[in-house]
Amino acid sequence: MSLDERGYACYRLIVVVMLLSLGMTAAAQSRREQMREKVDSILSSRYYKTSYDTNYVVRPEGKMTLKFRLNQTGNSLHAKGTVNGIYSKADLHTSHKTTVAVAASYRGIALGLAVNPAKLSGAYKDYEFNLNYYSSRLSLDASYQRSSTLAGDIERNGIQRLENGDLSMKVLNLAGYYTFNHHRFSYPAAFTQSYVQLRSAGSWLAGFSYQGGSIRTTDELKERISNAPDTRIYIGHFGIGGGYGYNWVLGKKWLLHFSSLPTFVVYNRNNFTVNGERKKAKRMRFNMLFNERLAVVRNFSPRFFAGATLVMNNSVFDDDVVVVNQNKWRARAFLGVRL
């Protein structure tokens, strides 16, 4: 074979390889495109499949929603009891936690990133985790907090001031709801904006509440105050009950939401321990846990919206021996766009 023939054969081989490569690339791109379209079709079908009455509740326009959020949370506790014939009382609160967050959702699949500026600077050392789930029928609010910034006054043979680091706290709050009028009343319209409430509607609710955790004095307190008592407050009560929620639509632009779910404590394990001596609350006693929600949403157009929400968990617990009350709240402001 001459040099020219070899060169021509090599050229043809290169052309064949390039054509095969282009064909394989096109086939791969076609498969990826088909897979993307299939996934998008599945998500779209799932997203628009709803049990709502579309005269009252519909999905918003657009495939994707972007939101900028500003959140703040706080917690306060009140406890008192008589141990070894000595009356003890504590009024405590944690530092407020403020976070800035960006969230995106596509066809109902959401992802978010939150930043706590005080945490980054080292000024805030607590840990808090919040989980909120809202569907047409069932809703769940859950929060877990681990805090060393609990501070306030404790009274035992005189009033003493407790500072950051004197106490450690671990506490869990849960509240679950069932919505009876789930065809016309939407929690997501008020709290996640994944639906739009077109007409005013309300619903009776059934659900449960749980508050549990503990508060302990730390070694730092004992080092600072030599005669400080070794104290532990345990919280553990569960309630069931019912309530009502309402979405009020004003002028097709505003949505005002309020709901309340009072529950009756059916079981508790509250106790107060001072220097190894423990006093327990009665297992069965008339006490209550309250869960309240407020929201306001303004739809400027089908694309742009803004608003604010407030979620609270409160306990009203009284006993002849041990009293433990907790007030947990989370406020949120948001600005969003649908694409």
Side-chain angles (χ1 to χ4, degrees):
M1 182 180 290
S2 67
L3 183 61
D4 291 341
E5 290 175 336
R6 291 197 194 102
Y8 182 68
C10 183
Y11 171 76
R12 287 193 301 175
L13 179 60
I14 292 173
V15 171
V16 171
V17 171
M18 291 179 63
L19 291 175
L20 289 174
S21 177
L22 290 173
M24 293 175 64
T25 301
Q29 290 177 343
S30 178
R31 286 195 296 270
R32 285 197 296 268
E33 184 67 20
Q34 291 175 0
M35 181 61 69
R36 187 193 67 79
E37 291 178 356
K38 183 177 180 180
V39 171
D40 188 71
S41 176
I42 293 173
L43 291 177
S44 179
S45 176
R46 173 182 173 272
Y47 183 70
Y48 286 107
K49 183 180 179 180
T50 175
S51 61
Y52 286 116
D53 181 344
T54 54
N55 291 315
Y56 284 81
V57 181
V58 296
R59 285 289 192 184
E61 296 181 9
K63 297 180 179 180
M64 178 177 290
T65 301
L66 300 177
K67 286 194 288 187
F68 173 80
R69 300 190 302 212
L70 180 65
N71 310 296
Q72 188 170 78
T73 62
N75 200 352
S76 62
L77 295 105
H78 170 76
K80 63 182 180 180
T82 301
V83 182
N84 290 329
I86 302 177
Y87 175 78
S88 299
K89 177 182 176 182
D91 291 295
L92 309 167
H93 59 84
T94 63
S95 296
H96 292 169
K97 173 190 173 185
T98 303
T99 60
V100 178
V102 177
S105 64
Y106 180 81
R107 300 296 198 196
I109 306 299
L111 181 66
L113 175 65
V115 176
N116 185 343
K119 188 80 170 181
L120 296 177
S121 65
Y124 184 87
K125 299 181 179 180
D126 291 355
Y127 170 81
E128 184 170 345
F129 172 78
N130 289 278
L131 173 65
N132 309 106
Y133 172 77
Y134 303 105
S135 70
S136 59
R137 300 189 185 193
L138 300 175
S139 299
L140 176 68
D141 286 324
S143 69
Y144 173 77
Q145 185 177 20
R146 186 177 67 233
S147 174
S148 60
T149 64
L150 201 62
D153 296 323
I154 186 168
E155 179 182 344
R156 180 179 168 85
N157 293 327
I159 298 176
Q160 293 179 330
R161 177 68 183 177
L162 298 181
E163 302 174 354
N164 290 355
D166 289 343
L167 298 171
S168 66
M169 180 185 74
K170 297 178 182 179
V171 64
L172 173 67
N173 287 272
L174 294 173
Y177 297 67
Y178 179 83
T179 303
F180 288 98
N181 188 20
H182 52 82
H183 295 295
R184 296 181 175 181
F185 171 82
S186 173
Y187 262 118
F191 290 92
T192 66
Q193 295 76 54
S194 56
Y195 286 90
V196 176
Q197 185 89 37
L198 299 179
R199 297 182 180 180
S200 301
S203 177
W204 292 104
L205 309 169
F208 72 90
S209 300
Y210 174 78
Q211 289 185 350
S214 64
I215 303 168
R216 296 174 178 268
T217 52
T218 63
D219 293 336
E220 286 81 354
L221 175 62
K222 298 174 185 177
E223 292 174 0
R224 191 170 65 85
I225 304 175
S226 58
N227 63 343
D230 185 7
T231 304
R232 177 183 180 270
I233 302 170
Y234 181 83
I235 308 166
H237 35 232
F238 177 83
I240 56 175
Y244 189 78
Y246 193 77
N247 282 345
W248 186 17
V249 179
L250 297 173
K252 298 182 180 180
K253 297 289 185 179
W254 290 92
L255 171 62
L256 303 180
H257 168 92
F258 68 88
S259 60
S260 178
L261 180 72
T263 62
F264 297 92
V265 175
V266 296
Y267 181 75
N268 87 85
R269 295 181 59 195
N270 293 357
N271 60 71
F272 201 150
T273 303
V274 179
N275 293 332
E277 181 70 21
R278 176 176 298 181
K279 292 295 183 180
K280 299 180 180 179
K282 294 181 175 64
R283 298 292 189 194
M284 300 295 293
R285 192 174 178 88
F286 182 78
N287 291 289
M288 299 190 71
L289 302 174
F290 291 92
N291 302 279
E292 305 94 7
R293 295 176 181 175
L294 300 172
V296 54
V297 180
R298 164 69 172 176
N299 291 294
F300 299 101
S301 70
R303 292 185 59 193
F304 296 98
F305 62 93
T309 64
L310 178 64
V311 177
M312 298 179 289
N313 307 106
N314 314 108
S315 60
V316 179
F317 195 91
D318 199 5
D319 187 83
D320 298 334
V321 179
V322 178
V323 173
V324 182
N325 295 328
Q326 180 190 192
N327 301 289
K328 180 76 169 64
W329 58 270
R330 188 204 68 209
R332 169 177 290 170
F334 56 87
L335 177 65
V337 58
R338 299 183 178 102
L339 304 174

